[in-house]
Amino acid sequence: LPVKKHLDPSLPLPPVPENFVQVINKGGTLKGKALHDAAILLLPNGKRAVLVLMTSTPDNVKTLEIFKRVSKTLYDSLI
């Protein structure tokens, strides 16, 4: 995927185009042991959110379903 670098941290973030959500995401897994995800969401209406989910579980399938529900709930609350 193409990466846009924001070289000057003193400048504000560029606006998010209408009908888009900008997501900055980093996730990781240790198979059968842990699943983690962190994201920054930027919406065109100016709202922003940070979501960090960390688990220690042997069931990554169940954890992914929980992550999906939490992410959707957060997104729905922002739009």
Side-chain angles (χ1 to χ4, degrees), residues 62-77:
K62 183 177 179 180
T63 301
L64 282 172
E65 288 304 315
I66 293 169
F67 279 20
K68 288 177 190 178
R69 286 197 319 253
V70 170
S71 298
K72 181 166 180 3
T73 300
L74 174 63
Y75 175 78
D76 290 345
S77 74

Side-chain angles (χ1 to χ4, degrees), residues 15-21 43-46:
V16 177
E18 201 61 40
N19 299 317
F20 284 89
V21 176
L43 283 80
N45 63 10

Side-chain angles (χ1 to χ4, degrees), residues 33-69:
K33 300 211 181 262
L35 184 64
H36 307 305
D37 197 17
I40 301 169
L41 293 92
L42 308 173
L43 283 80
N45 63 10
K47 291 183 180 180
R48 299 175 182 176
V50 175
L51 176 63
V52 178
L53 301 167
M54 302 172 72
T55 68
S56 177
T57 178
D59 187 351
N60 284 349
V61 173
K62 183 177 179 180
T63 301
L64 282 172
E65 288 304 315
I66 293 169
F67 279 20
K68 288 177 190 178
R69 286 197 319 253

